Amino acid sequence: MRKLKLQVQISVDGFVARTDGQLDWTVSSDEQLWQLINELPDSSDTLLLGRKMAEDFIPHFESFEPENVRFPFAQKMVNIPKIIFTKTLKKPFGKNTSLAKGNLTDEILEMKNQIGKDILVYGGAGFVSSLIAGGYIDELYLFVNPVMIHKGLRIFDLLTKEQKLTLISATPYECGVTVLRYELKKEG
């Protein structure tokens, strides 16, 4: 069964974005952290995005010019198939995108049961909250930024029951970010 892996920037006080969705508080990556960011998608053949995040994410990476130092990563983001979870969009937009409009549980279980590499989840906050609350995330990569932003969007508030995690690794980087990698303990 394919794993659902979440990669998310988070503040020390538990926010993943400001109330308006901005990520201007995140710390710039050093070379070692950038290497991890660049390698994580290689273990996946599908990206999952909520509609709100997709509206910024897809055009952002499709606009990179070849002379940009991050162009190879941007091309990776363009070329990996992306599934946008939405209740409102009628048709997909951007390159290599499709829509998931059905029941979240049915859609996720169908994807996890397909043959292929793992599935990487980037966000947004509401979509990720639903995935976490449903127990669908198998691995969490929490990029803990050395900042407290006081208020904003959270991803753990929809939990209705305890979910136990196993720490796989905790890696501090020179830029001040610590990446906590957890695996969800499966019941039974």
Side-chain angles (χ1 to χ4, degrees):
M1 182 175 276
R2 299 164 78 190
K3 288 184 181 178
L4 214 62
K5 297 178 179 180
L6 171 65
Q7 177 184 333
V8 66
Q9 299 282 341
I10 192 165
S11 64
V12 168
D13 54 346
F15 297 101
V16 296
R18 294 196 188 280
T19 52
D20 62 0
Q22 291 300 311
L23 297 172
D24 58 345
W25 50 271
T26 58
V27 173
S28 294
S29 304
D30 59 40
E31 276 307 306
Q32 279 72 35
L33 182 56
W34 177 251
Q35 184 176 346
L36 173 64
I37 292 168
N38 191 39
E39 289 173 357
L40 266 174
D42 295 340
S43 66
S44 304
D45 61 10
T46 308
L47 300 180
L48 301 187
L49 303 165
R51 179 202 42 90
K52 290 178 187 174
M53 178 155 184
E55 289 173 349
D56 291 328
F57 182 96
I58 292 168
H60 171 74
F61 286 111
E62 289 183 0
S63 70
F64 274 62
E65 297 294 331
E67 56 275 359
N68 187 309
V69 68
R70 302 289 192 219
F71 182 75
F73 179 77
Q75 285 300 284
K76 203 181 283 192
M77 296 297 99
V78 170
N79 293 329
I80 293 176
K82 292 163 287 299
I83 300 174
I84 304 167
F85 278 74
T86 180
K87 297 286 185 210
T88 58
L89 290 177
K90 302 291 184 223
K91 61 179 185 168
F93 61 91
K95 297 176 182 168
N96 297 315
T97 61
S98 60
L99 301 181
K101 298 175 65 96
N103 174 278
L104 182 65
T105 299
D106 295 340
E107 296 277 4
I108 294 298
L109 291 178
E110 182 181 333
M111 284 180 214
K112 288 177 103 174
N113 284 316
Q114 293 172 352
I115 303 294
K117 293 181 178 181
D118 291 334
I119 303 164
L120 189 58
V121 180
Y122 279 135
F127 174 57
V128 167
S129 294
S130 296
L131 292 174
I132 291 171
Y136 303 119
I137 301 293
D138 300 295
E139 285 187 29
L140 294 90
Y141 289 81
L142 302 176
F143 287 60
V144 182
N145 285 251
V147 62
M148 294 179 281
I149 64 173
H150 173 63
K151 59 183 174 181
L153 303 176
R154 302 170 62 87
I155 57 173
F156 300 108
D157 292 346
L158 293 181
L159 282 172
T160 57
K161 64 179 183 174
E162 182 177 292
Q163 293 183 20
K164 296 186 186 289
L165 305 170
T166 300
L167 180 66
I168 304 300
S169 63
T171 309
Y173 292 87
E174 285 183 24
C175 62
V177 171
T178 298
V179 177
L180 302 176
R181 181 180 172 202
Y182 291 101
E183 187 172 73
L184 181 67
K185 286 186 181 180
K186 298 296 181 185
E187 295 177 15

